[in-house]
Amino acid sequence: MKRKSSILVNFLAVAMICIVLPLIISGFFSITSLSNSLESEAKKSLNNSASEKKNYLDLAFKDQVDLAASISNESEIINYFKEYKKTNQSNQDILNDLTSKLETKVKNSNGLYENACFEVPISDTIAVVAVNGNGQKAVGMKLPTTKAVLNSLQD
């Protein structure tokens, strides 16, 4: 009887090993494969998202540059600054109109712009605000020119 029991135990042990060992190997392979697949999909998703955001920002900056170029090339603005340069005096009617237009652009930006202004350089390092889109509060205020700011950043 003992011998039958021993054979049965051996048979069951071999059967368990034959069942459990492939199950463990299959489970390990499945987990590894799933982990690699999820990591790959996560990388693709992040890359797509980053690319989409980059394209969105590039488009937004391009639109802002186009808008700035469009505003600065308006004939009324060009004529105002030509006259300002000749006489060193501002035409109050044109100034009020330009200020109104800039104020409208600032308000319509829904918070994108805090302010918009035109400056007239009076030296290499100082400019004077000539037109301000946030009311005329800053008109006449002296600011460093873009060139001066860039030079200070390089130092």
Side-chain angles (χ1 to χ4, degrees):
M1 186 76 172
K2 192 161 186 146
R3 194 163 190 187
K4 278 187 178 182
S5 172
S6 174
I7 291 175
L8 184 61
V9 170
N10 284 341
F11 178 73
L12 285 175
V14 169
M16 290 294 267
I17 289 173
C18 288
I19 292 172
V20 172
L21 190 59
L23 191 60
I24 290 172
I25 292 171
S26 174
F28 178 76
F29 177 74
S30 295
I31 289 171
T32 305
S33 176
L34 179 64
S35 175
N36 289 340
S37 176
L38 286 174
E39 185 178 343
S40 173
E41 287 301 316
K43 283 181 182 178
K44 283 181 189 175
S45 177
L46 284 173
N47 284 337
N48 288 340
S49 179
S51 177
E52 182 182 318
K53 298 298 181 196
K54 178 193 172 292
N55 291 339
Y56 176 76
L57 288 173
D58 287 346
L59 182 61
F61 281 121
K62 182 187 176 303
D63 287 346
Q64 295 310 308
V65 169
D66 291 346
L67 177 63
S70 170
I71 290 171
S72 63
N73 287 325
E74 290 178 8
S75 61
E76 185 178 22
I77 292 170
I78 292 171
N79 292 337
Y80 171 78
F81 282 105
K82 282 181 180 178
E83 182 181 328
Y84 187 91
K85 187 176 180 181
K86 282 181 191 174
T87 64
N88 206 18
Q89 297 280 329
S90 60
N91 181 326
Q92 198 59 39
D93 294 334
I94 297 173
L95 176 63
N96 290 339
D97 190 41
L98 293 178
T99 299
S100 174
K101 287 180 179 181
L102 278 181
E103 284 176 345
T104 301
K105 289 185 188 315
V106 169
K107 286 177 187 171
N108 290 342
S109 74
N110 294 324
L112 180 61
Y113 306 122
E114 183 178 322
N115 192 8
C117 65
F118 289 108
E119 301 171 355
V120 177
I122 57 175
S123 73
D124 285 344
T125 57
I126 302 291
V128 175
V129 175
V131 181
N132 188 16
N134 202 3
Q136 292 189 11
K137 299 171 194 164
V139 172
M141 182 178 190
K142 293 183 179 178
L143 301 171
T145 61
T146 304
K147 183 178 178 182
V149 171
L150 290 175
N151 288 341
S152 71
L153 291 175
Q154 291 174 352
D155 292 341

